[in-house]
Amino acid sequence: MNRELPVISLFSGAGGLDCAVERCSEPALTHDDSGSPLRVAVATDHDETALRTLALNFPHTKTLCGDIQTTPTEEILEAGGLERGDATLLIGGPPCTPFSKSGFWIEEKRNSADPNASLLDEYVRVVRESKPEAFILENVQGLTYKTHKEQFDRLIAGLKEAGYNPSYKVLLAAEYGVPQLRRRVFVVGRRDGKPFQFPLSTHSGESERDRVIDRSKIPFVGLKSAFRDLPEEPVELSDIVEGTYADLAAEVPPGQNYLWHTERYDGRDVFKWRSRYWTFLLRAEPDRPSTTLQAQPGPWVGPFHWENVQNAKGESRARRFTVSEMKRIMTFPDDFSFAGGRREVQRQIGNAVPVELGKVVVRSLMEQMGHLEPDGCGSERPSNEQLSFI
């Protein structure tokens, strides 16, 4: 079997999907890339820090730093040593800012007028001009909202006109063994026109929307289980929640948020009911998956760790997740390296695709295309041992 099936990566960021590609043939929660036939030949992004992260972890990958809107497809192919039609797979997630709920207070986003949304057209352009055997596009589920119907319909139409038969579905990461309640839409298409069958979910549990649990599936992976063998490390001073709401944050129990400090709960009666965003002073629960890690959270935006720490004055304080814990939440390998300072690392992690979720989708596609033999890790259900931290 060809061990070097080339992949083009657009909007690569820190490489969550790239990591999934190069580890797609390994069992869940295993990070040995020796068995994957796929290799990222070329990766593009406008973020120099993210590309430094890629270089640390994918030294064989050629990188292009620049605006995709002014980067010709021919330049991308040349950098990867490819001709039109050579790539087995094209992957990427155009920046999700235009479609994310976290910025709906911006009028241009509510009206679907964010100019960055045009980056979807650039993705289609590179697919059309590079003609990969298949593609995977991922984004926030907000891309599928009615607010963005015109752009989403244009995306699907453009991919069809390019000669593909795209399928799409919103997947909840926790339903595939990721300790995070993160929803992403995946759009997948094949050059031969055969429809892609999305992999079956393997895990079940309570989410922010669902209370019905499928007992035939593996329980959601909780954070305590995900962190169980992490070595102890000192908490950075910058990870301790200080300032105006420090005392209030420390008093919020696991699984609660600022609503604890309203007249309806047992905390201090400080805030009005539903006067803040849900993530304000939000504390994680040890036995449940994390809520979505955000790329650029404000000082009071959680989820924060469920345990408090003491600051230099001996005061009890909430704390943010460490980088090692965030990597576990996103199912990055423990030895995955990030360039930049603490804030830049969080931005890269928060913008990434959970590696295990990406692996499941890539693996399933490679099986259906005949590049990998089915072994129970793609559209077939893996064993409890493979997909559970427990």
Side-chain angles (χ1 to χ4, degrees), residues 79-228:
L82 304 172
E83 299 288 341
R84 188 173 190 261
D86 282 354
T88 299
L89 189 60
L90 185 147
I91 61 174
C96 62
T97 306
F99 316 110
S100 173
K101 291 190 299 183
S102 62
F104 256 48
W105 56 273
I106 302 174
E107 183 177 0
E108 65 179 11
K109 287 183 63 175
R110 291 198 307 271
N111 296 331
S112 199
D114 192 316
N116 287 327
S118 65
L119 295 178
L120 293 172
D121 298 326
E122 299 302 322
Y123 186 98
V124 173
R125 185 256 301 175
V126 179
V127 169
R128 183 179 64 250
E129 295 177 355
S130 65
K131 275 294 180 183
E133 193 175 346
F135 68 82
I136 297 175
L137 181 150
E138 65 78 32
N139 215 294
V140 294
Q141 66 168 339
L143 177 59
T144 63
Y145 292 171
K146 291 182 179 179
T147 309
H148 305 299
K149 185 178 187 304
E150 180 180 348
Q151 286 150 327
F152 189 67
D153 287 349
R154 188 173 73 245
L155 168 68
I156 298 300
L159 293 169
K160 288 181 177 178
E161 290 171 3
Y164 296 81
N165 184 18
S167 305
Y168 69 90
K169 187 175 183 180
V170 175
L171 303 180
L172 176 60
E175 292 183 345
Y176 297 88
V178 176
Q180 185 177 184
L181 297 171
R182 189 183 191 98
R183 297 179 189 271
R184 306 292 289 192
V185 62
F186 284 81
V187 184
V188 184
R190 296 172 54 168
R191 191 173 62 201
D192 61 13
K194 294 182 180 180
F196 173 65
Q197 301 297 322
F198 278 91
L200 299 174
S201 63
T202 52
H203 292 64
S204 182
E206 287 191 8
S207 69
E208 71 279 11
R209 300 178 184 176
D210 303 317
R211 297 294 182 265
V212 178
I213 299 175
D214 185 344
R215 301 295 179 184
S216 69
K217 297 183 178 179
I218 305 167
F220 280 170
V221 177
L223 290 174
K224 189 175 182 179
S225 177
F227 297 166
R228 71 164 188 240

Side-chain angles (χ1 to χ4, degrees), residues 267-331:
R268 309 185 201 184
D269 186 4
V270 175
F271 303 108
K272 293 183 179 180
W273 184 255
R274 293 185 177 176
S275 61
R276 306 272 177 149
Y277 286 107
W278 174 256
T279 52
F280 191 77
L281 304 187
L282 178 64
R283 302 296 294 270
E285 294 181 80
D287 297 322
R288 300 193 65 213
S290 170
T291 55
T292 298
L293 291 182
Q294 296 193 27
Q296 295 175 300
W300 315 112
V301 172
F304 301 123
H305 197 282
W306 60 90
E307 292 181 345
N308 286 334
V309 295
Q310 288 192 334
N311 62 13
K313 297 179 181 180
E315 299 166 320
S316 184
R317 290 289 183 260
R319 73 168 177 88
R320 298 170 180 85
F321 290 117
T322 66
V323 171
S324 295
E325 290 167 342
M326 288 192 291
K327 286 198 288 186
R328 286 289 180 92
I329 293 172
M330 292 293 289
T331 57

